Amino acid sequence: MKLAFIGLGYVGLTTAVCMAYRGFDVVGVEVDDEKVEKISRGIAPVKEPKLEKLLKYALSRKKFTASTSYRDAVKADVFFITVGTPSKPDGGIDLSRVAEACKHIGETLATQEKVATVAVKSTVVPGTTRTLVKQKLEEASQKKVGMDLNLCVNPEFLREGAAVDDTFHPDRIVIGDDWGRGGKILTRLYKKFYGRKTPPTMITNTVNAEMIKYASNVFLAARISLINEVANICQRTPGADVEEVAKGVGMDRRIGPHFLRAGLGYGGSCFPKDVKALAAFAKGLGVEPFMLESVQKVNDNQPYKAIELAGRLVGNLHGRKAAVLGLSFKPNTDDIREAVSLKIINKLLEHGCTVVAYDPAATENVRRLLGNKINYAESAEECIKNADFCIVATEWDEFRRLKPELFKKHMKKPVVIDGRRVYDPAAISEKAVYAAIGLGPNKT
Ligand code: UDX
C-alpha cells in the first residue's frame, strides 16, 4: 500500500517515517522547501527522540521521500492530511491549510482512475470533514465521496518528546467514517502496521472521531488545571503538600495516577489551542463553555504563582537577579510554544529584574524570540551564579540531579522556587530557602 502524508510537522513526519520503517512506501508532501531539503538529507527539523534514526533508515531503504510537489504523491492509495490548524484571534481554528491540502489532493486524484482514501489526521472541529473537507475534495477531484473516493477521520494522540513510541504503542486507534469503505481500508492498514499487537480500534462517525480528539485533550488539560487549583489551595494550608495529595487521589481507580502533576501550568502546541478552539466552537453553538473557560483561567494564572512565591521570599523584586531554569514547554523537547517560562520571564522583566536563563535544548529558540532582553547561561550552575532567586520552570532531569549545596555555593542568596516539584523539600530546605507549588507553609 502506498501512502502520502500532507504536511511534515511533528505528527506528519513521525507517522510517515514510522510507517516507512515498517515497510510501507511513503511520500511526504510539504510546502516548506527548506524543510523538505533538510528531511531529504536525513535531518529531522523537530527534536524528537528516535525520529532521525528512523528517518535515515527509511531514506536509505528508499521507503520514504519528501517532496514539495503533489505530483510525487500521485500513486498513493491513502492520503493522510497532517497539516497544522493554528488558532485564530477569536480562539477558533484556521482551516485554510486543510482546505488547501484538500484542493491539491483533489486535483491530484482527478488524474487517477483508482479509488483513493483520504484520512484527516489534523485536529479539526466536529463537522469539518463531512462539510468543508468533503466539498473541497469533490470540487477539485470531480469525484464523489462514498463512490469513487473514500474519506475518513483518524485523529492522533502523540505527545511531543514521545511521538515515535506513541506511534508504535498507542492506547487506541480512532477512525471516523460516514461512508463505510475508508474506515475498513484504514483498519486493514493498521492491522498490517501493528500485526498481532494492533491496539483496540474504535470505529465511529466522522463527527464523533473529531470530537474524541478535542474531548481527550480538554479532559487532560482540565485534570492539570484541577490539580493546579488544588495545589494553590494546598500552598496556603499549613502542613499540606499537593504531591502527597495527588498520590492519594491517584490511587482511586476511578481517577488514576496520570496527569496529576501540579506545576506552573500546561503549554505546548495542543492543549492551549484545543481548549480555546472547543470553547469557541461551543459558543458558536450557543453553549456557554463554563468549564473550558475555567480550565484556561487557572492555566493563564498559574505561571505567575512562581512570581508570587518569589515576592514572598525575596520582597521587592526590582533590581534583583533572577535565574530561570527551564525554557521548553516540557522536558525533552526544544519546543517553546506557549511555554510558561516566557510568561514568567516577561513578568520578571516588568518587575525590573535582570534574568539569566538556561535550558538544555530550547535556549536558541528563546534567544531568537527575546534576543538580549535576557542573558543566557551555558549550564545550570552558570545560570544560578550570583542570582538572588531561582525559578525552576521545566522539570528536566538535569535539574533534578542538581545537588542542593550548589544553590548555596553559587547563589547570592540560596532562594529556590520549585515550579515543577523537582526537589525533595526536606533535603533542599537544609541548604536553601525553598518554596514550591502546592507546598503549604510549615509543612511537618
Ligand atoms: C498533548 C497530548 O498529551 C497528546 O495526546 C496530543 O496529541 C497533543 O497534546 P503534548 O503537548 O506533546 O501532548 O505534551 P503533554 O506531555 O501532554 O504535556 C502537555 C503540557 O501539560 C506540558 O506543558 C506539561 O508540562 C503539562 N503537564 C502534563 C502538567 O503540567 N501536568 C501533568 O500532569 C501532565
Side-chain angles (χ1 to χ4, degrees):
M1 213 186 268
K2 292 186 181 2
L3 312 177
F5 283 79
I6 312 304
L8 294 177
Y10 94 97
V11 171
L13 183 62
T14 307
T15 321
V17 163
C18 291
M19 295 274 189
Y21 176 76
R22 287 269 166 96
F24 291 95
D25 291 306
V26 183
V27 176
V29 181
E30 165 62 52
V31 284
D32 182 342
D33 47 3
E34 259 176 52
K35 220 188 223 180
V36 167
E37 194 262 329
K38 254 186 165 178
I39 292 170
S40 304
R41 284 193 288 126
I43 301 166
V46 287
K47 191 177 162 1
E48 194 58 54
K50 301 180 190 168
L51 180 60
E52 209 160 89
K53 215 169 126 201
L54 296 191
L55 169 64
K56 286 198 165 89
Y57 178 89
L59 287 168
S60 72
R61 297 281 156 118
K62 304 217 172 337
K63 286 286 169 193
F64 176 68
T65 48
S67 170
T68 50
S69 168
Y70 279 80
R71 269 194 308 256
D72 291 318
V74 74
K75 293 210 180 89
D77 303 293
V78 181
F79 289 77
F80 286 99
I81 299 180
T82 48
V83 295
T85 48
S87 287
K88 292 192 294 191
D90 68 351
I93 56 165
D94 176 355
L95 288 166
S96 58
R97 291 184 207 167
V98 172
E100 186 75 2
C102 291
K103 180 173 159 275
H104 289 300
I105 294 171
E107 285 165 0
T108 309
L109 291 177
T111 63
Q112 294 287 302
E113 284 294 318
K114 74 172 168 212
V115 181
T117 299
V118 177
V120 180
K121 264 199 181 295
S122 302
T123 302
V124 295
V125 287
T128 304
T129 300
R130 54 168 71 161
T131 54
L132 175 114
V133 172
K134 177 174 178 282
Q135 185 200 331
K136 294 275 169 202
L137 281 171
E138 289 184 336
E139 258 171 33
S141 67
Q142 295 299 306
K143 294 185 184 225
K144 192 119 190 68
V145 169
M147 305 281 285
D148 44 2
L149 176 61
N150 301 321
L151 177 59
C152 55
V153 174
N154 177 215
E156 57 73 31
F157 305 96
L158 311 182
R159 290 163 302 165
E160 280 186 45
V164 169
D165 285 342
D166 284 354
T167 304
F168 285 126
H169 311 284
D171 289 347
R172 81 300 209 183
I173 294 168
V174 174
I175 298 169
D177 185 1
D178 296 341
W179 301 275
R181 266 207 323 253
K184 287 200 183 93
I185 287 167
L186 275 206
T187 309
R188 226 182 299 140
L189 189 157
Y190 283 123
K191 277 231 168 80
K192 262 197 187 156
F193 182 73
Y194 291 109
R196 275 187 302 120
K197 292 195 175 142
T198 302
T201 302
M202 175 180 177
I203 311 268
T204 181
N205 67 24
T206 56
V207 179
N208 289 331
E210 291 161 333
M211 186 64 101
I212 286 169
K213 168 72 190 193
Y214 276 109
S216 300
N217 276 354
V218 303
F219 248 89
L220 293 169
R223 273 176 81 101
I224 298 171
S225 279
L226 198 51
I227 197 67
N228 282 341
E229 189 148 289
V230 171
N232 297 340
I233 300 167
C234 286
Q235 215 166 291
R236 302 237 169 157
T237 309
D241 181 352
V242 73
E243 291 277 278
E244 292 285 307
V245 173
K247 195 167 147 196
V249 170
M251 285 164 81
D252 186 324
R253 272 185 295 160
R254 293 168 302 177
I255 299 171
H258 303 292
F259 273 72
L260 285 182
R261 276 187 347 261
L264 295 174
Y266 59 77
S269 63
C270 288
F271 288 169
K273 172 173 86 89
D274 291 353
V275 175
K276 265 187 229 144
L278 193 60
F281 181 67
K283 279 189 185 153
L285 298 172
V287 176
E288 206 50 62
F290 298 116
M291 279 281 287
L292 298 179
E293 276 171 357
S294 300
V295 168
Q296 283 179 77
K297 218 183 260 173
V298 173
N299 199 60
D300 288 345
N301 277 314
Q302 201 62 14
Y304 304 123
K305 296 288 162 190
I307 311 280
E308 229 176 270
L309 286 172
R312 203 173 306 156
L313 298 185
V314 179
N316 189 352
L317 297 181
H318 190 85
R320 305 284 187 164
K321 184 172 174 188
V324 175
L325 289 178
L327 297 168
S328 55
F329 85 94
K330 69 173 190 180
N332 306 318
T333 173
D334 61 355
D335 196 340
I336 57 164
R337 282 177 288 179
E338 303 280 337
V340 298
S341 64
L342 300 174
K343 282 190 175 179
I344 292 170
I345 288 171
N346 283 328
K347 193 49 103 185
L348 290 170
L349 293 173
E350 265 175 43
H351 277 285
C353 293
T354 55
V355 178
V356 189
Y358 169 69
D359 188 279
T363 304
E364 286 316 308
N365 286 338
V366 172
R367 201 196 296 272
R368 240 169 270 142
L369 198 72
L370 298 180
N372 57 10
K373 280 194 196 155
I374 65 167
N375 298 306
Y376 306 90
E378 297 286 324
S379 68
E381 279 188 53
E382 186 195 326
C383 181
I384 60 176
K385 259 191 194 134
N386 296 322
D388 289 293
F389 63 97
C390 160
I391 295 174
V392 180
T394 317
E395 64 277 33
W396 285 91
D397 277 346
E398 195 178 319
F399 305 152
R400 280 183 216 284
R401 288 195 296 266
L402 281 181
K403 296 235 160 36
E405 42 272 27
L406 285 177
F407 293 103
K408 197 168 175 189
K409 184 174 158 201
H410 292 305
M411 294 178 72
K412 201 181 288 167
K413 289 178 216 118
V415 175
V416 178
I417 293 118
D418 188 349
R420 295 292 182 181
R421 301 304 306 261
V422 295
Y423 298 119
D424 168 16
I428 197 166
S429 296
E430 286 177 13
K431 308 281 179 194
V433 179
Y434 177 77
I437 293 295
L439 187 66
N442 315 325
K443 187 183 176 272
T444 49

